[in-house]
C-alpha cells in the first residue's frame, strides 16, 4: 500500500509544527504584561534541518561512538525593537501580526491536506 | 492534537489574570475617595504582579496551561499617602486631619483600558484557535 503509507507527505508534520508555533505565540500574548518575560518564537528552518540531519553511525568496531547532541527544538528568543522598563520583550503588535500569519499558514497546510484527501478519495472511487 | 488544546489553556490563564487586574483596578477606583483617621489605615492602590507559568512543577504535569500566566502577588502602591485638614469630618484625628487614599484615578483608567485590551487580545486568540480546530475537524468532509 504505497499510496496510503505516505499519503499526506510532509504536510502531516508541517501541521504539527504550525500548531506548535500557534502555541508559542499564544504564550507570548498571554504573557504580554509579565515582568521579565522573554518572547520566543520557532525557527522553522532549524526544525527542518533537524529532521533532515545526517546521523553518524558506527560501522566498524574501531569507530568512536558519535557524541549525541541535544536535538534542536527550534526555540529562539525574539529580539525586541524597543526595550521595556520591566524587562518584558513581548511587543503585542508583532505578536498579533505573527499570530495572524501563523493562523493563515495553518489553514494553508490544512488546505494542502484536504486536497490530498480529495485526490485519494477520487482515485478510490474511480469516477 | 495536544498543541491547539494548550492554546486554549494558555489564553484561559491570561483571561483570568487580566480579569484579576481589572478587578483590582475597579476596587482602587471604588476606594479612591476613602478616608482613614491615620496613615497606616489609609487605602493604598493595589497592583497585581504577573508571573509566567514556565516550570513544569508549577502546575500539574502535562497541564494544558503550561506557558500561561498567573497572578503572583498583589502589591500596594508605594506612593505616599496625602493628609487633608478637615476638622469637621467624623474620621478626623485629634489634630483635625484625615488621610486620603493614594489612588490616582487617571492612572487607574489607563490601567483599566490596558487590561481590557489585553483581555480582548486573548479572546481573539481563543477565537482563532477555535476556528482552526473546527476547520481541522472538517478535513474529513473534503
Amino acid at each position: 500500500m504505497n499510496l496510503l503509507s505516505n499519503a499526506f507527505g510532509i504536510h502531516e508534520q508541517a501541521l504539527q509544527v504550525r500548531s506548535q508555533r500557534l502555541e508559542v505565540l499564544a504564550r507570548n500574548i498571554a504573557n504580554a504584561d509579565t515582568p521579565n518575560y522573554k518572547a520566543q518564537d520557532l525557527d522553522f528552518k532549524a526544525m527542518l534541518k533537524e529532521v533532515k540531519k545526517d546521523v553518524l553511525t558506527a560501522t566498524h568496531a574501531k569507530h568512536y561512538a558519535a557524541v549525541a547532541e541535544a536535538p534542536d527544538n527550534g526555540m529562539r528568543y525574539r529580539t525586541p525593537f524597543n526595550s521595556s522598563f520591566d524587562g518584558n520583550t513581548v511587543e503585542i503588535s508583532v505578536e498579533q501580526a505573527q499570530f495572524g500569519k501563523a493562523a493563515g499558514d495553518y489553514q494553508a497546510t490544512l488546505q494542502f491536506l484536504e486536497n490530498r484527501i480529495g485526490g485519494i478519495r477520487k482515485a478510490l472511487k474511480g469516477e | 492534537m495536544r498543541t491547539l488544546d494548550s492554546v486554549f489553556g494558555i489564553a484561559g490563564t491570561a483571561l483570568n489574570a487580566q480579569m484579576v487586574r481589572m478587578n483590582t483596578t475597579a476596587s482602587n477606583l471604588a476606594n479612591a475617595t476613602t478616608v482613614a483617621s491615620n496613615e497606616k489605615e489609609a487605602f493604598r492602590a493595589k497592583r497585581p504582579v504577573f508571573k509566567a507559568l514556565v516550570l513544569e512543577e508549577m502546575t500539574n504535569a502535562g497541564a494544558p496551561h503550561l506557558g500561561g500566566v498567573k497572578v503572583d502577588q498583589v502589591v500596594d502602591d508605594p506612593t505616599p499617602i496625602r493628609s487633608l485638614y478637615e476638622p469637621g469630618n467624623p474620621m478626623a484625628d485629634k489634630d483635625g486631619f484625615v488621610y486620603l487614599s493614594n489612588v490616582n484615578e487617571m492612572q487607574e483608567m489607563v490601567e483599566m483600558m490596558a487590561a481590557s485590551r489585553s483581555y480582548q487580545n486573548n479572546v481573539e486568540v481563543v477565537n482563532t484557535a477555535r476556528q482552526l480546530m473546527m476547520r481541522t475537524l472538517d478535513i474529513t468532509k473534503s
Side-chain angles (χ1 to χ4, degrees):
Chain A
M1 289 295 278
N2 219 355
L3 171 71
L4 293 181
S5 64
N6 194 21
F8 303 133
I10 198 167
H11 302 303
E12 201 180 330
Q13 282 105 314
L15 197 68
Q16 268 176 31
V17 174
R18 302 290 195 208
S19 63
Q20 207 180 326
R21 175 139 197 263
L22 279 172
E23 188 201 329
V24 174
L25 294 174
R27 221 182 283 171
N28 290 346
I29 294 173
N31 284 293
D33 299 312
T34 308
N36 295 318
Y37 181 83
K38 307 294 179 212
Q40 290 176 311
D41 202 352
L42 284 180
D43 186 346
F44 191 78
K45 207 172 173 183
M47 291 179 87
L48 202 65
K49 216 181 235 173
E50 191 63 34
V51 174
K52 292 168 73 180
K53 196 160 78 176
D54 295 323
V55 182
L56 290 176
T57 47
T59 52
H60 190 270
K62 289 196 171 174
H63 281 169
Y64 286 112
V67 181
E69 281 180 54
D72 185 359
N73 61 3
M75 290 289 264
R76 299 282 187 276
Y77 286 106
R78 208 190 276 298
T79 312
F81 291 111
N82 295 300
S83 55
S84 71
F85 188 62
D86 60 355
N88 184 306
T89 63
V90 179
E91 281 162 322
I92 198 68
S93 48
V94 173
E95 301 302 334
Q96 273 177 328
Q98 291 297 326
F99 191 83
K101 186 173 175 293
D105 288 347
Y106 186 93
Q107 297 216 30
T109 304
L110 269 186
Q111 192 65 53
F112 282 127
L113 272 174
E114 274 175 16
N115 291 348
R116 287 275 178 129
I117 292 172
I120 292 168
R121 182 169 289 188
K122 217 168 181 179
L124 286 176
K125 276 186 185 165
E127 283 168 354
Chain B
M1 192 68 71
R2 193 209 158 252
T3 41
L4 264 187
D5 268 350
S6 44
V7 170
F8 289 109
I10 291 164
T13 61
L15 291 180
N16 200 11
Q18 297 297 345
M19 191 52 89
V20 169
R21 190 175 169 202
M22 276 196 262
N23 279 333
T24 47
T25 314
S27 159
N28 290 347
L29 278 173
N31 284 295
T33 51
T34 304
V35 293
S37 42
N38 59 56
E39 196 171 333
K40 216 174 140 199
E41 279 174 19
F43 183 83
R44 283 157 210 276
K46 307 277 185 281
R47 298 255 174 274
V49 177
F50 292 166
K51 192 166 190 226
L53 289 165
V54 278
L55 297 172
E56 189 86 42
E57 55 262 34
M58 284 176 71
T59 154
N60 311 322
H65 52 272
L66 179 70
V69 61
K70 71 162 189 171
V71 178
D72 190 37
Q73 50 182 326
V74 179
V75 296
D76 283 348
D77 193 320
T79 316
I81 299 289
R82 286 173 298 145
S83 57
L84 187 71
Y85 184 63
E86 209 171 67
N89 196 314
M91 293 297 280
D93 63 3
K94 61 182 188 330
D95 299 322
F97 283 101
V98 288
Y99 296 87
L100 301 171
S101 72
N102 65 351
V103 177
N104 180 344
E105 278 103 337
M106 220 58 86
Q107 202 181 335
E108 297 303 326
M109 290 311 292
V110 171
E111 187 79 7
M112 178 70 94
M113 282 169 82
S116 93
R117 290 283 179 246
S118 295
Y119 192 91
Q120 284 173 20
N121 275 332
N122 284 289
V123 169
E124 210 51 52
V125 168
V126 171
N127 272 336
T128 309
R130 188 174 49 82
Q131 277 170 18
L132 292 178
M133 215 170 205
M134 294 321 279
R135 266 211 72 185
T136 315
L137 283 178
D138 284 346
I139 203 169
T140 50
K141 292 181 189 155
S142 63

